[in-house]
Every structure is written in structure tokens, then in C-alpha cells.
């Protein structure tokens, strides 16, 4: 391989369009259409079954072109520049069944190598450059060929030898194209004796007899005949081309893209009505006439025509058109009638009433209104009609329209989309009791239409209207399909739980929130609610959960289900959203938070009860309040008392008879403050306590079992302790009158317990000798000069005598 070839291949691979890559489906398909092949690279593997190389630059099929594709079943080569196919090119493609070589530059079809394509069922070689339809002998090898399309505008004559090679091939479908035919030899189609569907795309000048000869040559096996792309008016005016149809065995006649006038229409209809044709399709017809047809009267029971389809009729003179009431016998036996895009603006009563066998009527894309479709004088129009398609007309009033349809007692299906139907408020509708399917999409209906619908409905399409709300559908219990696409609906319709609804489309509306519980209660098989402005908060996750768990087919999921708000999620696919537990479970989070707070409060309450914290807080508040009420200059005055004595009432005898006698009878005397004598009348007890403690140099606590049980003793101890804390001096004297067990001291006396653990205290002795010494030490603690001492004694020296007074709690 040359360097240049390597560069070309690399460039084609690197810059190859995306659509040139293989598209893998159930069968292995490679689509390399329109990529500039073979200049651009196309990946071909041995397992390819379908290969599309159309619209490229292929000029020749060589032996090695497809030699490694032995599984190839369908090959598309149309619209290339193929001029030749080498012998043996399809030797390795014995499985090939479909081959399209149309619109190329093949000049000679007699040399085409078909001998190896023994499985081929479809061959298309139309619009190549060959001037004759002479097939070579190899085409007779195609013994499975059922469909053949051949010919082009270069063919000007056909004779018996042209297609004789097709004799013996089991063809069922043949499509023939010619140019301006100058000659046609009768018996040419004798090689097509098994053909059932024959399509004739013929061109001829003024030789009208040629078309007659061709129609006379149509095989008797042919049941479907198509006549395509001919201007009969221009080429053979006033000639009856169609009389051979009466003798043929065809049951379906398709006439497409032709030009015709009144005379030719007369010939065509006379031939059709006098033949065995059961179905007539007139598609894309340019009508140059006014409906002046000289139809030969034929009894309706002798007419075979059952289906008449007229589509895309262009008639510049349709406003001058004759009434077709004289064709009433022609319509009498019809079971299916389509007049589509034919400028139809009126249907006579005698026509609609005589069509007693009609089951299907399509009058779409016309100019019909309520009064011209079924005039008021019509009593039984289309009595057995089952399906009516009337979309793209001029119907305006739904109430009147329903009244007209109520005359059709067997009507089951109505399609009146793309009209301007409206329903005035307060009006009611009358419908046939047999009506099951309604399509009123693309109208101007509002929510009140639901009150106008028949209870027998099974399928309802109200897409593309102006509905803002769907009322309760309890009355429409038979509904199985509801289509509400592109309205202004703000919420899901209220559908009873026991409904038989299976399909619901409510996409492209104004729905912000979806009630998943309502959807889960329905037994749906198909659901579509895409392209709604959904609000993406925590609840939106229920939609993703519903889609994952449900057996319902959710159309357009997930790409067309996106957020409209809040702004941070706008445009995001719902399936990709993730929310934190705090965002999505706020009530639970608040509940847990409140529970924790409640637990914390409970713990605090328990601790407060256990350690009397509330008592301390209340007492501290009383202390602060009392301190603010005291005189501002109190802190600057001298002490009035040597000591304030705090004691229980049960110990008052000892205090008065012993403590006060010893201290106040001393020389010089001690000034002692006790509550029974020195509290000022009119002051609160709390203020008196704080006032006396503040004016006393020391505070003596007479500790006993009764002391620790006294509420007021507790207050006095607390305030004294606070005073010591404020003044930062040692002003507390603990005097233990009797032993106090540790477990008898309440929790609120925790400070007392700490002081007794940390500091030394005086203990009242029972021995009289020791009592004398006890008084001396107490007086020394009160910080007065005693003349009996030879030197100054410190507080710690006086109190701490471990041999005589042990430190205890």
C-alpha cells in the first residue's frame, strides 16, 4: 500500500461524518449513504446484512466490491454513477434478496450479471440509460424474483421480444416506465402472465391507440392496475382510453397524477361502473371540467364498485361545478368513500340517504360546514356509517355538529380535528348512543366540553385545544384512552380509582406538580406527561421512583422530563436530580431536632432537680435584687458587728445560752448579730440577711442536723458565701455543733460539703475543759487582741490542732 493511499484512508476515517458509522440494530445495518464513497471510508464487516451506499460516487461494481459480504441480504446503490457491473460481482452474495440499482448510468441491462443472485426477490433498475428493455438470458436465473421495477424515459417502443426473457419468472409486482412511446406490439405483456400488481408510468404523444393497446394487453392475472403520470387531455383529447377496463379482471384501479376533463371523466366512470372494479383510487388529479358527465345509467345492484377514494383534486372551475346528484346510483353500493382535499362544499341529502351500505367516510380537507354537510331536511343521512373523518373543514358549533351526527344511529368513530369547533357555555350535546371514539384535536374547545361528551366514549383526543382544567370524569366510565397534549391544564385530571383507563397523554401542558398517588391508583399501560413546567423540589423524586418501579410505559422518559423551577434546576433532567436528606425530609429533621431539644431540656430539668440548680438561680436572683436595693455607700461603712450568727431555730438555746454569753460578756464585748434580735422590722427577710452579713466582719454557721434541713439557713449560707466571693476575704466560720453524716447533707448544700472538705472547722466538744479552749480559739478566729497571749497568733495556728480536733466532713 502506497503512502498516499494510507494518508487518504486515515483522513477519511478521522474526518468521516458521524452518519457514516455503522448503525447497529437487530440486524447488522451499515448506512454509508451520501458520504462521498469510495473517496470516503466506509467500515464493512463480514456480518453486514443491510448495506446502504446510495447517493455516493460509485462508478463501477467490481468483483471484489462485495466479495466478503456473504451475509448481505439488502443492497442499496441508487443515485450513484454506475456505468458497468463486472461479471462475478455478486458471486459471493447468494443471500442477497433486495437490490436497488435505480438512477444510475447503466446502458445495457442485457449484460447484467444476475446468475448468482438466486435468492433475489426485488430488483429495481429504473431510470438508467438503456434505450431498450431487452433483458439478457441471465435474468431468467432469478426464479425467486417477485418484484421488478424497470424502464426509463429513453424507451420509445416495446415489442414482444423486449421482455420475453421474463417468461417463466414468478413475478407478482411489475413497475414499468417508458418515454414517449411510438410503438407497442400486442402480446408484449405475455411474459407477465403471473403478475398481480401492474404499474404503468407511460408517456405517449398523440398516439392514443397505444394506450388502448397497452390496456388490452394487461394480463388477466392482474388484479391491481396503476396508471401514473399522464396528461390525457393534452395527448389524446376526446378519445376513450378506458373501455378495455371492462374486459379486464382487475378489482383495484389506481389513477395517480393525471390530467383529465369532463369527456375523459365520462369515459373513465362508464368503464369503471361497467367493469368488475371494486376499488377506485383517484389521487392527485387536475380536473379541467365542470361536472358535465354523460354517465350511462346502470342499476345500482349491477355496479361492483365498493370503495371510492378521491384525493387531491385540483379544479379551477369547482365553483361552477354541476350537482352530482345524478350519480346517486353510483354511490348506493359504496361501503367506503373518501373525498379528500377536493374542494367539496356540499353533500345533497339524496346522496347521503341512499348510501345505506357506507361504513367509512373521509371528507377531510374540504369546505364543509354544518348546514352543507347534513342539511336540516336530511332525516337519515349515512344510516349505517361507522367511521367519519371530517378534519380540516369549516365546522364551528359543536352543539349543532353533535345534533347532526345524532342522526347517524350506528356511528362509532368521529375525527373532526383541525376545525374551529367551540362550545357555548350552558349548551348540551346530543350524540349517537353507539359513539366510542372521538378526535376533536386542534380546535378551540374548553373545559366545558367534558360535560358535552357521550358516556359511551372509550377513546378521546382533545389535544391542541384551550382546556385549562379537567373536571371529574365519573360520568365517562368507559374511557380507556385520553389524549390531552398541548393544552393549558394545570393539574392531572381527577380520575376515579375503578376506571378502566389504560392510556393517558397529558404532555405539553402547564402542570407544575404530579400527584404520584393518583397515578399509582390507576391501572395504566401507557403514560406521557413530558414537557410540563415541573417544579423540582423534594417531592419530584417520587416521579423517578414511580418510573423505576411501575410496569407502565412512560413515553419520552427521561429526556423530555425537565425542571422549570427553581432556577438552580431549570432545564435539568428530573432523573439526574439528587437531594440531601435534610432538604427532602424537613418535617422529620425538625421532629428529630425538637426531640433532641426536648431531650436536652429534660436532661437539664433532671440535673436542675438533682443539683437544685433552679434553687441556686432563684436565690442568686434574690441576692442580686437585694444587693441593688441596698444603700450605695454600704460598702464604705465600717463593720457594725464582729459576727453574724446563722443557726437553726432548734439550736437557738445553745446560741443564746452559751455562744452569746461567751462573746457578748467578754471584755471588751463582741458585737454579735442574730436574726431574732437584730433584723430590722419592715425589711424583707432576704434584705435583712444580706444587710447583716454585709455589716458583719465574720459569719458564724452553727452546723447541726437541723441546720442542713433549714431553708433559711441555706439562704444565709449562700448569701454569706457570695459575700465572701465578692469581697475576696475569709469571712466564714464553720462551727460544728454535732456530728453530721455525709449522706445527710442535701445536694443544695454542695458548697458546704466542699468547704468542709477543703477548710478547717471548729467542733463543739462535750468535755468542759476542752470547751474553755474552744471559746479561746473562736475568739481568736474573730480576729481580736487577747492580753492572755504573749504573741500574735494567726488564724491557721489557732484553729489547726490535728491532735485534738481532727478535720472531718
Amino acid at each position: 500500500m502506497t503512502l498516499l493511499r494510507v494518508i487518504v484512508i486515515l483522513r477519511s476515517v478521522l474526518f468521516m461524518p458521524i452518519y457514516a458509522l455503522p448503525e447497529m440494530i437487530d440486524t447488522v445495518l451499515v448506512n454509508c449513504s451520501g458520504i462521498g464513497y469510495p473517496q470516503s471510508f466506509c467500515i464493512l464487516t463480514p456480518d453486514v446484512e443491510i448495506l446502504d451506499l446510495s447517493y455516493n460516487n460509485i462508478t463501477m461494481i467490481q468483483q471484489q466490491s462485495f466479495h466478503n459480504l456473504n451475509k448481505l441480504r439488502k443492497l442499496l446503490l441508487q443515485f450513484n454513477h454506475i456505468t458497468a457491473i463486472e461479471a462475478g460481482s455478486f458471486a459471493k452474495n447468494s443471500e442477497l434478496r433486495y437490490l436497488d440499482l435505480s438512477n444510475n448510468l447503466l446502458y445495457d441491462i442485457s449484460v447484467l450479471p444476475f446468475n448468482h443472485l438466486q435468492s433475489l426477490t426485488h430488483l429495481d433498475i429504473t431510470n438508467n440509460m438503456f434505450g431498450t428493455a431487452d433483458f439478457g438470458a441471465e435474468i431468467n436465473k432469478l426464479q425467486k424474483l417477485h418484484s421488478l421495477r424497470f424502464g426509463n424515459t429513453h424507451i420509445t417502443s416495446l415489442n414482444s421480444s423486449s421482455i420475453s426473457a421474463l417468461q417463466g419468472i414468478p413475478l407478482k409486482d411489475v413497475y414499468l416506465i417508458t418515454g414517449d412511446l411510438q410503438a407497442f406490439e400486442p402480446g408484449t405483456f405475455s411474459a407477465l402472465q403471473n403478475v398481480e400488481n401492474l404499474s404503468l408510468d407511460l408517456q405517449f404523444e398523440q398516439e392514443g391507440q397505444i394506450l388502448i393497446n397497452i390496456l388490452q394487453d394487461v394480463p388477466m392475472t392482474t388484479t391491481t392496475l396503476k396508471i401514473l403520470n399522464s396528461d390525457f387531455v393534452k395527448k389524446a383529447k376526446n378519445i376513450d382510453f378506458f373501455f378495455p377496463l371492462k374486459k379486464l379482471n382487475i378489482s383495484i384501479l389506481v389513477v395517480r397524477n393525471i390530467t383529465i376533463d369532463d369527456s375523459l371523466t365520462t369515459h373513465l366512470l362508464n368503464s369503471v361502473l361497467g367493469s368488475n372494479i371494486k376499488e377506485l383510487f383517484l389521487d392527485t388529479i387536475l380536473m379541467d371540467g365542470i361536472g358535465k358527465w354523460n354517465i350511462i345509467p346502470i342499476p345500482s345492484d349491477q355496479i361492483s364498485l365498493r370503495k371510492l377514494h378521491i384525493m387531491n383534486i385540483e379544479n379551477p372551475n369547482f365553483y361552477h361545478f354541476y350537482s352530482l346528484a345524478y350519480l346517486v346510483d353510483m354511490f348506493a353500493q359504496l361501503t367506503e368513500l373518501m373525498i379528500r382535499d377536493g374542494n367539496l362544499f356540499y353533500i345533497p341529502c339524496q346522496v347521503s340517504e341512499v348510501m345505506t351500505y357506507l361504513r367509512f367516510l373521509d371528507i377531510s380537507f374540504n369546505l364543509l360546514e354544518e348546514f352543507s354537510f347534513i342539511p336540516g331536511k336530511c332525516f337519515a343521512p349515512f344510516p349505517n356509517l361507522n367511521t367519519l373523518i371530517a378534519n380540516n373543514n369549516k365546522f364551528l358549533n359543536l352543539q349543532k355538529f353533535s345534533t347532526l351526527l345524532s342522526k347517524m344511529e350506528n356511528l362509532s368513530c368521529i375525527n373532526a380535528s383541525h376545525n374551529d369547533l367551540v362550545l357555548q357555555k350552558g349548551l348540551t350535546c346530543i350524540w349517537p348512543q353507539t359513539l366510542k371514539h372521538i378526535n376533536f384535536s386542534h380546535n378551540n374547545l374548553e373545559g366545558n366540553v367534558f360535560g358535552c361528551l357521550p358516556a359511551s366514549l372509550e377513546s378521546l383526543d382533545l389535544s391542541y385545544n384551550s382546556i385549562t382544567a379537567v373536571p371529574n370524569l365519573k360520568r365517562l366510565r368507559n374511557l380507556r384512552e385520553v389524549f390531552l397534549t398541548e393544552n393549558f391544564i394545570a393539574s392531572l385530571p381527577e380520575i376515579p380509582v375503578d376506571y378502566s383507563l389504560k392510556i393517558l397523554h397529558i404532555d405539553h401542558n402547564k402542570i407544575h406538580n404530579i400527584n404520584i398517588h393518583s397515578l399509582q391508583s390507576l391501572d395504566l399501560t401507557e403514560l406521557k406527561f413530558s414537557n410540563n413546567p415541573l417544579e423540582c423540589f423534594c417531592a419530584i423524586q417520587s416521579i423517578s421512583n414511580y418510573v423505576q418501579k411501575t410496569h407502565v410505559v412512560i413515553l419520552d422518559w427521561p429526556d423530555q422530563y425537565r425542571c422549570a423551577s427553581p432556577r438552580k434546576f431549570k432545564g435539568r433532567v428530573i432523573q439526574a436530580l439528587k437531594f440531601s436528606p435534610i432538604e427532602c425530609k424537613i418535617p422529620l429533621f425538625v421532629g428529630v431536632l425538637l426531640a433532641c431539644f426536648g431531650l436536652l431540656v429534660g436532661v437539664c430539668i433532671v440535673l436542675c432537680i438533682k443539683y437544685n440548680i433552679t434553687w441556686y438561680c432563684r436565690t442568686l436572683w434574690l441576692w442580686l435584687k437585694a444587693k441593688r436595693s441596698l444603700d450605695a455607700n454600704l460598702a464604705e461603712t465600717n463593720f457594725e458587728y464582729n459576727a453574724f450568727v446563722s443557726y437553726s431555730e432548734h439550736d437557738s438555746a445553745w446560741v443564746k445560752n452559751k455562744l452569746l454569753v461567751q462573746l457578748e460578756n467578754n471584755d471588751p464585748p463582741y458585737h454579735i448579730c442574730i436574726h431574732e434580735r437584730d433584723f430590722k422590722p419592715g425589711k424583707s427577710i432576704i434584705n435583712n440577711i444580706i444587710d447583716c452579713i454585709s455589716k458583719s466582719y465574720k459569719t458564724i454557721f452553727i452546723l447541726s442536723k437541723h441546720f442542713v434541713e433549714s431553708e433559711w439557713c441555706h439562704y444565709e449560707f449562700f448569701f454569706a458565701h457570695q459575700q465572701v466571693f465578692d469581697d475576696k476575704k475569709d469571712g466564714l466560720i464553720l462551727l460544728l455543733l454535732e456530728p453530721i453524716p455525709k449522706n445527710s447533707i442535701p445536694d443544695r448544700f454542695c458548697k458546704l460539703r466542699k468547704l468542709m472538705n477543703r477548710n478547717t472547722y471548729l467542733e463543739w466538744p462535750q468535755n468542759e475543759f476542752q470547751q474553755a479552749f474552744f471559746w479561746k480559739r473562736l475568739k481568736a478566729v474573730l480576729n481580736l487582741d487577747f492580753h492572755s497571749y504573749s504573741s500574735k497568733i494567726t488564724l491557721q495556728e489557732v484553729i489547726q490542732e490535728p491532735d485534738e480536733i481532727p478535720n472531718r466532713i
Side-chain angles (χ1 to χ4, degrees):
M1 183 180 293
T2 64
L3 179 61
L4 180 60
R5 180 63 175 166
V6 172
I7 294 174
V8 170
I9 293 176
L10 288 175
R11 186 177 67 86
S12 63
V13 171
L14 292 174
F15 299 99
M16 181 170 49
I18 294 176
Y19 55 77
L21 296 175
E23 298 179 14
M24 305 302 294
I25 52 176
D26 292 340
T27 57
V28 182
L29 181 150
V30 175
N31 183 1
C32 290
S33 176
I35 67 169
Y37 180 84
Q39 286 77 19
S40 295
F41 191 64
C42 180
I43 302 173
L44 300 178
T45 57
D47 58 346
V48 173
E49 298 177 66
I50 299 176
L51 175 60
D52 188 352
L53 291 174
S54 60
Y55 297 92
N56 280 298
N57 301 319
I58 304 172
T59 58
M60 178 176 288
I61 304 299
Q62 299 175 330
Q63 291 184 0
Q64 69 273 18
S65 296
F66 309 112
H67 72 283
N68 64 328
L69 306 179
N70 53 13
K71 293 184 179 180
L72 192 63
R73 294 189 292 110
K74 186 174 183 178
L75 179 60
L76 305 177
L77 295 168
Q78 66 269 29
F79 292 97
N80 277 279
H81 308 285
I82 302 171
T83 58
I85 301 176
E86 290 185 358
S89 295
F90 302 114
K92 301 294 184 180
N93 309 120
S94 59
E95 297 295 321
L96 191 64
R97 301 175 186 177
Y98 190 105
L99 177 61
D100 191 343
L101 289 165
S102 63
N103 296 281
N104 278 283
L105 302 176
L106 295 170
Y107 287 90
D108 188 357
I109 61 174
S110 63
V111 297
L112 295 180
F114 296 130
N115 56 316
H116 296 289
L117 300 178
Q118 298 178 2
S119 298
L120 197 67
T121 60
H122 176 89
L123 174 63
D124 189 347
I125 53 173
T126 55
N127 295 315
N128 276 276
M129 302 301 293
F130 49 88
T132 62
D134 297 332
F135 287 94
E138 285 196 9
I139 196 156
N140 202 256
K141 304 287 186 180
L142 307 179
Q143 288 301 306
K144 293 185 178 181
L145 189 66
H146 291 163
S147 176
L148 174 63
R149 298 170 62 91
F150 71 99
N152 56 68
T153 57
H154 300 287
I155 297 176
T156 58
S157 64
L158 288 171
N159 53 55
S160 58
S161 63
S162 297
I163 60 174
S164 59
L166 300 177
Q167 189 76 38
I169 300 176
L171 288 171
K172 300 297 182 183
D173 189 349
V174 172
Y175 188 104
L176 172 61
I177 301 176
T178 70
D180 292 329
L181 277 177
Q182 303 298 320
F184 180 84
E185 183 179 355
T188 298
F189 290 160
S190 61
L192 308 176
Q193 289 306 310
N194 296 316
V195 172
E196 298 175 358
N197 303 314
L198 178 60
S199 301
L200 301 176
D201 186 350
L202 306 177
Q203 302 295 323
F204 49 90
E205 291 294 338
Q206 301 297 325
E207 297 294 332
Q209 185 62 41
I210 290 179
L211 179 59
I212 296 174
N213 294 339
I214 291 174
L215 292 179
Q216 288 178 333
D217 210 41
V218 173
M220 294 303 292
T221 57
T222 301
T223 57
T224 301
L225 177 63
K226 297 178 182 178
I227 302 174
L228 314 170
N229 308 318
S230 295
D231 186 347
F232 292 112
V233 175
K234 177 182 177 182
K235 297 180 178 179
K237 192 173 184 178
N238 297 325
I239 297 177
D240 186 359
F241 299 109
F242 306 109
F243 74 88
L245 297 175
K246 297 178 181 180
K247 297 182 179 180
L248 296 178
N249 195 37
I250 63 173
S251 58
I252 301 175
L253 175 62
V254 179
V255 181
R256 181 179 298 130
N257 194 25
I258 67 168
T259 303
I260 199 169
D261 59 10
D262 282 340
S263 175
L264 291 169
T265 302
T266 300
H267 297 318
L268 175 61
L269 292 179
N270 281 330
S271 297
V272 169
L273 296 177
S275 69
N276 295 322
I277 295 175
K278 294 181 175 61
E279 302 178 22
L280 175 60
F281 297 86
L282 303 176
D283 185 4
T284 313
I285 308 299
L286 177 59
M287 173 68 70
D288 184 12
I290 58 175
K292 189 177 180 179
W293 305 334
N294 298 316
I295 305 299
I296 300 173
I298 300 176
S300 60
D301 58 353
Q302 295 181 16
I303 297 176
S304 300
L305 190 64
R306 295 293 180 268
K307 295 182 180 181
L308 175 59
H309 287 201
I310 303 174
M311 296 170 285
N312 305 312
I313 304 298
E314 182 180 351
N315 185 7
N317 303 310
F318 79 96
Y319 284 115
H320 303 288
F321 219 70
Y322 277 48
S323 171
L324 299 181
Y326 63 89
L327 294 178
V328 65
D329 289 337
M330 174 182 171
F331 296 107
Q333 301 294 322
L334 291 179
T335 61
E336 188 172 307
L337 175 61
M338 174 189 290
I339 304 178
R340 186 181 178 92
D341 195 10
N343 293 318
L344 180 66
F345 59 90
Y346 183 73
I347 298 178
C349 273
Q350 59 266 43
V351 173
S352 61
E353 290 179 344
V354 78
M355 302 181 74
T356 57
Y357 295 100
L358 194 69
R359 303 283 293 170
F360 177 91
L361 176 61
D362 186 347
I363 50 173
S364 302
F365 295 91
N366 283 292
L367 305 172
L368 291 168
E369 300 179 45
E370 287 86 356
F371 69 91
S372 61
F373 171 42
I374 302 177
K377 61 182 179 180
C378 294
F379 295 103
F382 310 111
N384 288 296
L385 189 65
N386 179 269
T387 301
L388 172 63
I389 301 176
N391 54 306
N392 292 90
N393 277 276
K394 304 297 180 180
F395 298 119
L396 300 174
N397 191 312
L398 181 61
Q399 192 268 340
K400 291 182 179 179
F401 188 59
S402 69
T403 303
L404 296 175
L405 296 182
S406 67
K407 298 179 180 182
M408 306 175 192
E409 297 180 352
N410 293 291
L411 190 63
S412 174
C413 178
I414 169 68
N415 183 343
S417 63
H418 293 87
N419 283 277
D420 293 311
L421 287 170
V422 296
L423 177 65
Q424 299 296 330
K425 293 183 178 180
L427 295 182
T428 58
C429 303
I430 304 174
W431 301 96
Q433 297 299 316
T434 54
L435 197 57
K436 295 182 178 180
H437 308 280
I438 285 182
N439 183 346
F440 286 157
S441 62
H442 295 88
N443 280 281
N444 298 316
L445 298 170
E446 298 180 358
N448 62 335
V449 68
F450 289 96
C452 181
L453 298 174
S456 57
L457 270 187
E458 294 181 2
S459 177
L460 174 63
D461 191 345
L462 290 173
S463 302
Y464 301 93
N465 277 280
S466 302
I467 301 171
T468 57
V470 180
N472 194 303
L473 300 177
K474 289 182 179 179
R475 192 173 59 85
L476 306 176
R477 302 192 63 84
N478 296 314
L479 273 179
R480 295 178 60 84
E481 301 176 359
V482 176
F483 302 93
L484 297 169
T485 300
E486 194 85 19
N487 278 278
F488 303 94
I489 302 170
S491 61
L492 283 175
E494 185 179 348
I495 301 172
V497 176
D498 57 346
Y499 253 42
S500 57
L501 190 67
K502 296 298 180 182
I503 298 176
L504 175 61
H505 288 196
I506 196 165
D507 52 300
H508 291 86
N509 276 277
K510 303 298 180 182
I511 299 176
H512 298 285
N513 299 293
I514 300 293
N515 189 336
I516 294 300
H517 298 293
S518 298
L519 291 179
Q520 290 173 337
S521 64
L522 300 176
D523 188 22
L524 295 175
T525 59
E526 181 177 299
L527 175 63
K528 185 179 182 182
F529 59 99
S530 56
N531 295 287
N532 276 287
L534 297 173
E535 294 179 349
C536 292
F537 297 103
C538 290
I540 203 70
Q541 285 186 312
S542 61
I543 294 180
S544 297
N545 298 334
Y546 172 76
V547 174
Q548 292 176 0
K549 297 177 182 179
T550 186
H551 64 280
V552 180
V553 177
I554 310 295
L555 300 181
D556 293 343
W557 181 267
D559 294 338
Q560 301 303 315
Y561 294 81
R562 297 177 179 269
C563 302
S565 61
R567 182 177 296 180
K568 65 177 181 179
F569 292 141
K570 188 174 183 179
R572 293 273 301 276
V573 176
I574 291 175
Q575 188 185 40
L577 295 181
K578 301 294 182 183
F579 294 91
S580 67
I582 295 178
E583 289 179 289
C584 292
K585 297 180 180 179
I586 293 178
L588 179 61
F589 175 75
V590 171
V592 172
L593 188 62
L594 290 176
C596 293
F597 180 75
L599 180 62
L600 180 62
V601 170
V603 170
C604 292
I605 291 174
V606 171
L607 292 176
C608 289
I609 294 173
K610 180 176 177 61
Y611 295 104
N612 288 284
I613 295 176
T614 54
W615 184 92
Y616 281 108
C617 293
R618 181 167 58 87
T619 306
L620 181 61
W621 180 80
L622 292 173
W623 161 261
L624 296 174
K625 183 178 179 182
K627 287 283 285 183
R628 285 196 301 269
S629 66
L630 295 176
D631 295 336
N633 298 325
L634 183 63
E636 298 178 1
T637 59
N638 295 325
F639 293 111
E640 296 181 12
Y641 305 102
N642 292 95
F644 170 74
V645 181
S646 176
Y647 58 93
S648 171
E649 290 295 331
H650 296 279
D651 301 322
S652 61
W654 184 88
V655 171
K656 296 175 182 178
N657 298 329
K658 294 186 178 294
L659 181 64
L660 293 181
V661 170
Q662 284 291 330
L663 297 180
E664 290 184 343
N665 294 332
N666 190 58
D667 187 19
Y670 294 92
H671 296 284
I672 304 300
C673 178
I674 62 174
H675 67 274
E676 295 179 34
R677 181 184 61 193
D678 301 310
F679 277 10
K680 295 180 180 180
K683 270 191 177 183
S684 66
I685 297 176
I686 298 297
N687 285 344
N688 269 311
I689 293 173
I690 296 173
D691 189 26
C692 292
I693 291 175
S694 300
K695 293 179 178 180
S696 301
Y697 180 66
K698 297 288 185 180
T699 302
I700 302 173
F701 291 97
I702 309 302
L703 303 181
S704 67
K705 294 178 182 180
H706 300 297
F707 180 89
V708 297
E709 293 174 358
S710 172
E711 184 73 17
W712 288 111
C713 291
H714 192 192
Y715 279 123
E716 292 170 352
F717 180 82
F718 178 85
F719 294 149
H721 188 271
Q722 288 297 121
Q723 185 67 30
V724 170
F725 179 79
D726 289 345
D727 297 343
K728 297 182 181 179
K729 64 185 183 66
D730 187 10
L732 302 182
I733 300 174
L734 304 182
L735 195 158
L736 189 59
L737 190 61
E738 60 182 356
I740 302 176
K742 178 180 179 181
N743 56 5
S744 67
I745 300 178
D747 291 333
R748 64 176 180 270
F749 272 112
C750 57
K751 293 182 179 180
L752 174 61
R753 190 185 297 115
K754 290 180 181 179
L755 285 175
M756 294 181 70
N757 285 332
R758 186 176 65 248
N759 295 359
T760 309
Y761 53 85
L762 296 173
E763 185 175 2
W764 172 251
Q766 297 300 321
N767 186 281
E768 292 183 1
F769 174 77
Q770 291 179 335
Q771 290 176 0
F773 188 70
F774 167 83
W775 295 118
K776 291 181 180 180
R777 284 185 292 173
L778 176 58
K779 294 175 182 178
V781 170
L782 291 176
N783 202 20
L784 295 175
D785 294 331
F786 291 94
H787 301 288
S788 56
Y789 280 82
S790 59
S791 63
K792 189 175 181 180
I793 305 173
T794 65
L795 176 63
Q796 193 68 16
E797 288 174 342
V798 172
I799 295 178
Q800 195 166 5
E801 295 183 13
D803 293 337
E804 297 182 13
I805 307 173
N807 186 13
R808 48 190 159 167
I809 297 175

